[in-house]
Amino acid sequence: MADNLEPVTESVLSADHWLTHARQLIPTAIERAHATTVFPVRWKSIISKLESVPTSLSDLASHPCFLKNTLCRETLQSVASTLSEAIGLAELCESGDAVRHGKLQMQSDIDSLAAKLDLNLRDCALLVKTGVLSDATVPVVPAPGLAVASVPVLNQQLNVGELLARLHIGNAEAKHRVVDSLLEVIREDEKSVLSVLSRSSILAMIQLLSAGKPKVREKAATIICLLAESASFETLLVSEGVLPPLIRLAESGSLVGREKAVITLQRLSMSSDAACAIVRHGGIRPLIDICQTGDSVTQSAAAGALKNLSVLSEVRQTLADEGIVKVMINLLDCGTVLGSKEYAAECLKNLTATDDHLRQSIVTEGGLKSLLTYLNNPIPQEAAVGALRNLVRSVPVDSLLSFGLLPCLVHVLKEGVLGTKQAAASVIYKVSGPAEVKKLVGEFGCIPLLVTLLEAKSTGARVAAAQAITILMNCPQNARELKKDEKSIPNLVQLLDPSPSNTAKKYATACLLMLSSSKKCKKLMISHGAIGYLKKLSEVEVSGAKKLLERLERGKLRSLY
């Protein structure tokens, strides 16, 4: 097929001309091929292909869109060129020049001819059966904001429907030019391409990921990356088989090809089905290798993809077997960009969610120390605190303290966002079993920070803070600290709200009950309306509510007398 993508002009011969010319060449080509005695097996195969050409041409000529675009004309021109080549090669085989031509060269030329015939027959079939001809006649509709002067250029030279149709036919060089043109159109008006993309066009683009030329693979990967980021084609890309060639490209492609492939894998792996498919197709190892050797962009994207895979509990052990634990810890310590570190922390959080063996493995590899070091950054990340929360029960308390856990938690409670503070409060609750730890937590100044967290809008944050305060209250020093804090009683009383969504009420009740031995605290509870809340909580039998209510009501009667 001709590689020229220029529009047809009046000086170009018509499709009818090339159809007639090709039909005239077929008998001669078959006759010359039959007469050839050199390499008979190869020529027998070519004769079979030549005998299929008339039917393909008749099917193409009968298509209703036969004269409506340049694709038919170019395909027929290519068929005629191949038939002429067959006649010339057959004559050469029977002439005295065959010896001078060389046996190996002759074999190569015959094989090349066979490949061209296969391509011609395939192109004719695609034009007839797949709707490509109809797609190619769709005109470009200018998007809002597109310069009016550019519309004729697009319609004449870069017709989107025709460009997409050309993805299916022709040789590799022709498709390379098509991909170049598509990229130009996408840069000018992405919507004009996305709006007319069909399943067959996407499949043709996926096939180019395995093209012979690295540049073609790069550009195809660039377009597929854009499709994945548009969020409208994710399922279609996966169902049409995009993952295996993407993984191969990530494994052994050029720098640009690898980058685009990994970014696409990261985007697609957000779907659990696609993530499972990436694992089945062997995608873990290339992603791990890129985390160790890739540049900053590909490293971050690979870490993001692995983080998405680690969400699936059924593949976590497979990830561990491939060495993901060391790789993620190393990214925490030495990642080239902040995004890589964030993904590594999230991955470690997912890996430690349910598996004690993986938790111990991360501790053994030094993951706990790396997490604490990472959390001492100016803006501590929630995922890292979540991973820490999953690990603390797998480490002796003395080791936790020696690694600097408490200063780190204070930093998080001061500087972190709400979700990070909530996770830090949960860590305090988990580690504060021993009396000496409770005391140390108070000495490091965590009590006022947890009291402030009781005011958070998030129910989860309030519950985590109330849980931590409840367990810390068993230390008399912490109880005295809580009594001194002017916001503690008002904040705890507010958490007595009896609404079902307020799951912090039982912890608030427990804290206030421990504080109720103080007359001053009881007066503050009464003045902030605790009795009204407690009456409702007693009705629904919240633990400790009735006992606290009785104490407050006795105190109220005494004050009246």
Side-chain angles (χ1 to χ4, degrees):
M1 175 180 161
D3 295 344
N4 181 22
L5 297 185
E6 293 295 323
V8 178
T9 63
E10 292 181 359
S11 61
V12 177
L13 297 172
S14 67
D16 279 333
H17 167 84
W18 288 112
L19 177 63
T20 302
H21 184 50
R23 283 173 169 167
Q24 289 171 346
L25 292 173
I26 291 170
T28 306
I30 294 174
E31 181 184 348
R32 294 286 192 276
H34 273 295
T36 303
T37 57
V38 182
F39 306 114
V41 176
R42 281 180 166 83
W43 277 105
K44 184 177 180 181
S45 173
I46 288 175
I47 290 168
S48 175
K49 300 178 195 302
L50 290 170
E51 290 173 344
S52 300
V53 172
T55 303
S56 295
L57 297 183
S58 296
D59 292 340
L60 185 59
S62 63
H63 195 281
C65 297
F66 177 61
L67 297 176
K68 291 184 180 179
N69 56 69
T70 61
L71 295 177
C72 287
R73 180 192 63 78
E74 292 177 3
T75 301
L76 290 169
Q77 189 175 358
S78 178
V79 171
S81 175
T82 304
L83 292 171
S84 296
E85 184 178 336
I87 294 169
L89 191 57
E91 291 174 347
L92 181 62
C93 283
E94 291 305 304
S95 70
D97 294 334
V99 176
R100 290 199 304 274
H101 198 63
K103 183 176 181 180
L104 292 178
Q105 183 61 51
M106 185 65 72
Q107 287 177 326
S108 176
D109 290 345
I110 294 172
D111 291 340
S112 175
L113 173 63
K116 289 179 181 179
L117 282 168
D118 283 333
L119 182 61
N120 290 151
L121 292 170
R122 185 184 69 85
D123 286 351
C124 288
L126 282 170
L127 288 172
V128 172
K129 296 177 181 178
T130 62
V132 167
L133 282 180
S134 300
D135 292 342
T137 61
V138 178
V140 172
V141 178
L146 188 64
V148 175
S150 67
V151 173
V153 177
L154 286 175
N155 278 325
Q156 293 173 18
Q157 298 180 357
L158 297 175
N159 182 291
V160 176
E162 182 174 325
L163 284 175
L164 294 175
R166 288 177 183 274
L167 286 173
H168 301 268
I169 62 175
N171 57 26
E173 184 60 33
K175 291 177 180 179
H176 186 183
R177 297 183 184 219
V178 172
V179 173
D180 276 340
S181 297
L182 275 175
L183 278 172
E184 290 180 16
V185 177
I186 289 173
R187 291 189 187 104
E188 291 187 15
D189 182 17
E190 183 177 325
K191 291 182 180 180
S192 70
V193 177
L194 299 184
S195 63
V196 297
L197 269 177
S198 64
R199 179 184 294 270
S200 61
S201 299
I202 289 174
L203 178 58
M205 189 65 67
I206 290 171
Q207 291 169 345
L208 291 179
L209 290 175
S210 304
K213 293 187 176 181
K215 283 295 181 183
V216 178
R217 295 197 295 269
E218 286 178 9
K219 291 167 184 175
T222 301
I223 294 177
I224 286 174
C225 188
L226 291 171
L227 297 182
E229 290 175 350
S230 73
S232 302
F233 298 94
E234 296 171 5
T235 303
L236 189 56
L237 284 168
V238 174
S239 66
E240 292 301 319
V242 77
L243 294 178
L246 278 178
I247 292 169
R248 288 195 299 271
L249 198 58
E251 192 170 21
S252 58
S254 63
L255 289 177
V256 175
R258 292 178 75 191
E259 177 185 312
K260 297 303 181 183
V262 176
I263 291 172
T264 305
L265 288 172
Q266 179 191 6
R267 185 70 183 83
L268 296 177
S269 62
M270 293 179 183
S271 157
S272 58
D273 290 340
C276 288
I278 289 171
V279 175
R280 286 197 306 271
H281 290 297
I284 294 176
R285 172 46 52 191
L287 291 171
I288 286 180
D289 289 343
I290 289 170
C291 283
Q292 295 173 294
T293 61
D295 60 82
S296 58
V297 175
T298 53
Q299 184 188 78
S300 179
L306 288 168
K307 180 267 296 183
N308 293 338
L309 299 185
S310 69
V311 172
L312 306 172
S313 58
E314 63 269 27
V315 304
R316 288 173 188 159
Q317 188 56 53
T318 304
L319 289 167
D321 293 341
E322 292 285 354
I324 196 172
V325 171
K326 283 186 178 180
V327 172
M328 291 299 124
I329 292 173
N330 185 62
L331 278 181
L332 268 185
D333 294 335
C334 311
T336 55
V337 293
L338 186 59
S340 299
K341 293 175 178 284
E342 292 177 4
Y343 289 138
E346 286 189 65
C347 188
L348 292 174
K349 175 187 172 184
N350 294 336
L351 292 173
T352 56
T354 57
D355 194 311
D356 287 331
H357 174 70
L358 286 176
R359 289 172 186 155
Q360 195 57 53
S361 175
I362 290 169
V363 171
T364 303
E365 295 291 345
L368 182 65
K369 191 173 181 180
S370 296
L371 284 166
L372 290 170
T373 302
Y374 173 59
L375 281 170
N376 282 319
N377 288 324
I379 305 177
Q381 298 297 315
E382 181 178 349
V385 188
L388 186 65
R389 178 181 56 205
N390 295 340
L391 290 174
V392 290
R393 291 277 173 87
S394 302
V395 184
V397 172
D398 290 343
S399 297
L400 290 171
L401 298 178
S402 67
F403 285 148
L405 174 67
L406 295 182
C408 178
L409 292 176
V410 171
H411 170 65
V412 172
L413 287 172
K414 286 181 177 179
E415 306 298 337
V417 297
L418 184 56
T420 312
K421 292 179 180 180
Q422 176 182 330
S426 297
V427 174
I428 290 173
Y429 175 73
K430 284 193 170 188
V431 301
S432 297
E436 64 271 20
V437 177
K438 292 184 177 74
K439 184 178 178 183
L440 282 171
V441 170
E443 290 175 353
F444 270 90
C446 289
I447 299 295
L449 298 172
L450 291 170
V451 169
T452 301
L453 193 58
L454 293 173
E455 302 170 354
K457 293 182 179 181
S458 163
T459 301
R462 294 195 300 269
V463 170
Q467 279 182 320
I469 291 172
T470 302
I471 197 169
L472 293 172
M473 285 283 291
N474 291 323
C475 172
Q477 182 177 322
N478 291 338
R480 289 194 296 271
E481 182 73 21
L482 195 66
K483 290 174 185 177
K484 292 178 186 177
D485 194 310
E486 295 180 355
K487 297 193 293 183
S488 62
I489 300 296
N491 287 353
L492 287 168
V493 170
Q494 288 299 311
L495 292 185
L496 296 175
D497 180 1
S499 62
S501 62
N502 176 30
T503 53
K505 50 184 175 281
K506 61 179 180 180
Y507 304 109
T509 302
C511 287
L512 291 170
L513 188 58
M514 285 186 276
L515 293 171
S516 63
S517 58
S518 163
K519 291 182 181 179
K520 179 183 176 182
C521 289
K522 282 195 288 187
K523 286 181 180 180
L524 282 171
M525 293 178 205
I526 293 168
S527 66
H528 284 88
I531 290 177
Y533 286 133
L534 289 168
K535 286 180 179 178
K536 295 179 181 179
L537 294 180
S538 299
E539 293 173 2
V540 294
E541 299 183 348
V542 171
S543 177
K546 187 175 291 187
K547 185 176 181 179
L548 179 58
L549 177 62
E550 290 172 355
R551 286 187 182 183
L552 295 184
E553 286 185 329
R554 283 201 303 270
K556 188 176 182 181
L557 286 171
R558 288 195 190 100
S559 66
L560 287 173
Y561 285 125

